[in-house]
């Protein structure tokens, strides 16, 4: 949709669902509003901020981040590596001394190849042991040694020595990271695709998924016929796109087989009372919890739940379909320990949901595979874009910017 807004030439949008927005939608259930977990607008590009605020008008709130880490029975501020104040003294000591030892060795150590090595080099053994490695293993669904160190420069806050020392004694006076504040639609993130869709209706075919793509003749096949194209902007997941291409060369098929992406099961949880902790989300690194992050939609905006009630998202560590009879009691036990609820009866209902493509894995085959796939697609005027089309880890603002860039590329190909 972002690309559509920026295209000047005639175009069509083909959407496989009967709605627009992909994962950036809001589901209404029994008076509660649920997004597809946390979808927030961290707008750093000033032109993009102006565009989004114009689209959404007065239907947003500006939120100052309240994120926490829950470990060893206590909440600490995020990021963990700059906020050890409040942890048990032996844990905080282990983290602080490990960081200082790593800092002394940094100049002598080689550049890390894996994310595990990155954590040990820049954060030390304590931070790595108690947060970075266990949390990221739960998030990515694989051990950090299987992930490269190249993905994380923007998304992993890198505290300075002063930050770590100040955070150890409770004197940190600033928030760290790319997402310290964000814009949020009052009735859920689904308001953004609704606003984007206005003006695009006449260009859009809903419930219209391709069955195959003849890249050599620039022709897309659908169940009801075919379309020719000059340039194809593809935002569907890259592995699915490649599977649609007819007569794919063997070397591209081999590269496509190297692409890895994990699904995500999560729970939307409706509470019959307000959230017991004033936070937007909490990171949960310990393996004994069946989830790695809990967020509160209704703390983003009070319109996400009925008055006096709350809505949560609980992101699960396991990639298997949950058995709710076994899982839900464990989740409730964890939420009680985190003081988000007082008792099991505080939960009105919990709905399991699946995101089939959630986290693209930056494993050791990632860059080699894309180095073959992307030039091949470019030669055939196919522009893969978006978090899953371009096969990356990125934000909602990035998606809007990717669409803008894809439109420019398509215009150039059509001249």
């Amino acid at each position: 949709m972002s690309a559509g807004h920026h295209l000047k030439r005639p175009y069509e949008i083909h959407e496989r669902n009967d709605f627009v927005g992909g994962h950036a939608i809001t589901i209404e259930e029994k008076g509660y509003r649920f997004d597809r977990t946390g979808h927030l607008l961290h707008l750093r590009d000033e032109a993009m901020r102006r565009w989004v605020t114009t689209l959404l008008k007065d239907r947003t709130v500006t939120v100052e981040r309240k994120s926490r880490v829950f470990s060893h029975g206590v909440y600490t501020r995020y990021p963990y590596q700059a906020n050890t104040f409040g942890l048990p003294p032996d844990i905080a000591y282990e983290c602080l001394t490990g960081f200082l030892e790593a800092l002394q060795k940094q100049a002598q150590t080689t550049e890390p190849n894996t994310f595990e090595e990155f954590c040990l080099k820049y954060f030390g053994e304590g931070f790595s042991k108690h947060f970075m490695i266990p949390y990221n293993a739960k998030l990515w669904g694989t051990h950090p040694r299987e992930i490269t160190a190249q993905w994380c420069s923007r998304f992993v806050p890198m505290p300075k020595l002063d930050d770590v020392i100040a955070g150890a004694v409770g004197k940190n006076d600033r928030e760290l990271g790319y997402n310290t504040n964000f814009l949020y639609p009052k009735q859920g993130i689904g308001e953004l695709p609704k606003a984007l869709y206005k003006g695009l209706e006449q260009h859009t075919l809903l419930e219209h998924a391709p069955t195959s793509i003849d890249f050599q003749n620039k022709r897309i096949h659908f169940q009801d016929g075919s379309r020719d194209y000059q340039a194809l902007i593809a935002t569907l997941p890259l592995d699915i796109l490649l599977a649609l291409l007819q007569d794919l060369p063997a070397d591209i098929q081999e590269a496509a087989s190297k692409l890895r992406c994990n699904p995500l099961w999560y729970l939307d949880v409706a509470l019959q009372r307000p959230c017991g902790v004033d936070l937007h989300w909490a990171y949960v690194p310990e393996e004994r919890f069946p989830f790695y992050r809990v967020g509160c939609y209704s703390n983003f905006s009070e319109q996400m739940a009925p008055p006096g009630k709350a809505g949560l998202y609980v992101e699960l560590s396991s990639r298997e379909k949950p058995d709710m009879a076994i899982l839900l009691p464990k989740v409730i036990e964890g939420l009680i320990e985190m003081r988000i609820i007082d008792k099991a009866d505080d939960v009105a209902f919990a709905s399991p949901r699946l995101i089939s493509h959630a986290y693209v894995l930056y494993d050791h085959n990632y860059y080699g595979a894309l180095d073959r796939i992307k030039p091949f697609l470019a030669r055939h005027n196919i522009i893969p874009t978006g978090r899953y089309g371009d096969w990356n880890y990125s934000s909602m603002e990035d998606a809007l910017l990717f669409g803008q860039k894809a439109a420019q590329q398509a215009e150039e190909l059509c001249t």
Side-chain angles (χ1 to χ4, degrees), residues 114-116 119 128 131-149 151 258-264 285 287 292 316-320 358-366:
T114 72
F115 186 52
E116 180 183 42
C119 294
S128 297
F131 182 78
M132 298 300 298
I133 290 176
Y135 176 77
N136 280 284
K138 293 171 79 174
L139 170 75
W140 295 99
T142 193
H143 196 279
R145 73 173 65 96
E146 293 189 37
I147 302 171
T148 73
W151 71 274
K258 303 293 186 183
L259 301 176
R260 293 173 62 193
C261 184
N262 272 333
L264 171 65
E287 291 183 10
Y292 63 87
L316 303 174
S317 307
S318 172
R319 267 51 187 182
E320 301 298 322
Y359 293 102
V360 168
L361 291 182
Y362 286 70
D363 65 10
H364 301 290
N365 292 315
Y366 175 88

Side-chain angles (χ1 to χ4, degrees), residues 39-57:
H39 278 75
L40 313 171
L41 289 162
H42 309 292
L43 301 171
R44 300 180 299 171
D45 182 273
E46 190 54 42
M48 191 57 65
R49 174 178 285 274
R50 287 195 302 269
W51 184 39
V52 170
T53 52
T54 299
L55 284 170
L56 293 173
K57 299 181 174 64

Side-chain angles (χ1 to χ4, degrees), residues 103-121:
L103 194 63
Q104 290 179 328
K105 297 176 183 177
Q106 274 179 24
Q108 287 77 45
T109 55
T110 58
E111 282 303 304
N113 290 316
T114 72
F115 186 52
E116 180 183 42
E117 292 172 356
F118 176 91
C119 294
L120 291 168
K121 178 181 175 74

Side-chain angles (χ1 to χ4, degrees), residues 317-365:
S317 307
S318 172
R319 267 51 187 182
E320 301 298 322
K321 183 177 181 179
D323 182 334
M324 291 295 284
I326 296 173
L327 174 70
L328 188 56
K330 294 180 180 179
V331 169
I332 287 173
E333 182 182 339
L335 295 177
I336 291 172
E337 183 176 346
M338 294 175 70
R339 303 186 296 281
I340 289 173
I341 61 175
D342 290 333
K343 57 187 185 303
D345 288 348
D346 290 339
V347 175
F349 63 88
S351 299
R353 310 201 197 276
L354 171 67
I355 297 176
S356 60
H357 287 70
Y359 293 102
V360 168
L361 291 182
Y362 286 70
D363 65 10
H364 301 290
N365 292 315

